Amino acid sequence: MSVLKPLDKLPALNTATGLLVGTEDALLQQLADSMLKEDCASELRVHLAKSLPLPSNVNRPRIDLIVFVINLHSKYSLQHVQESLRHVDASFFLGRVCFLSTGVPPENSKLSPGVPSCTRDICDLSASLN
């Protein structure tokens, strides 16, 4: 198991590879399918993972973008992302990583008191990365 580095492999010609990391398989698959349906001048490959690190004994292409998917209603989801961040080289955060939040309530509604939310934890995570 190793740290993912942005330039650890040579790029493939006219190919981009994205890695979606999250605990919700159905959502990751739906996002991957939507990405692959888009018309693109280059070939797009999308890989899914529940968490990092990825096994080091697997032959995989260079990862060009990592998308961490966080469900705001699940602390478990946020914990997985926090643990996975340890396995990403710091140079990846220069335009090759993004965070996608799901479970966000509509703009004018408030979260129910009984619904767990990790919004504050995400703000703390963001502050710790700076």
Side-chain angles (χ1 to χ4, degrees):
M1 312 260 177
S2 61
V3 172
L4 279 178
K5 296 182 181 180
L7 302 174
D8 64 346
K9 295 185 178 200
L10 292 174
L13 186 61
N14 294 326
T15 302
T17 303
L19 176 64
L20 305 179
V21 180
T23 56
E24 299 178 31
D25 291 335
L27 178 67
L28 293 180
Q29 188 62 54
Q30 183 180 7
L31 180 58
D33 291 343
S34 296
M35 291 170 68
L36 293 171
K37 284 180 187 175
E38 290 297 315
D39 190 27
C40 186
S42 300
E43 179 185 352
L44 177 63
R45 296 179 185 162
V46 181
H47 296 265
L48 310 178
K50 281 194 178 285
S51 62
L52 298 178
L54 298 174
S56 58
N57 60 349
V58 176
N59 186 11
R60 65 175 177 272
R62 180 175 105 163
I63 304 295
D64 298 302
L65 174 70
I66 302 174
V67 179
F68 290 101
V69 181
I70 304 168
N71 182 344
L72 293 179
H73 295 290
S74 170
K75 277 208 176 264
Y76 178 71
S77 174
L78 178 64
Q79 288 170 349
H80 262 268
V81 168
Q82 287 174 315
E83 291 167 7
S84 294
L85 288 174
R86 296 180 195 149
H87 303 285
V88 178
D89 187 73
S91 60
F92 239 116
F93 291 94
L94 298 172
R96 294 179 179 268
V97 170
C98 69
F99 297 89
L100 175 65
S101 299
T102 64
V104 178
E107 193 173 317
N108 293 326
S109 70
K110 295 182 179 179
L111 285 175
S112 303
V115 176
S117 172
C118 58
T119 307
R120 178 172 291 141
D121 294 334
I122 290 176
C123 292
D124 294 341
L125 172 63
S126 174
S128 72
L129 292 176
N130 292 330

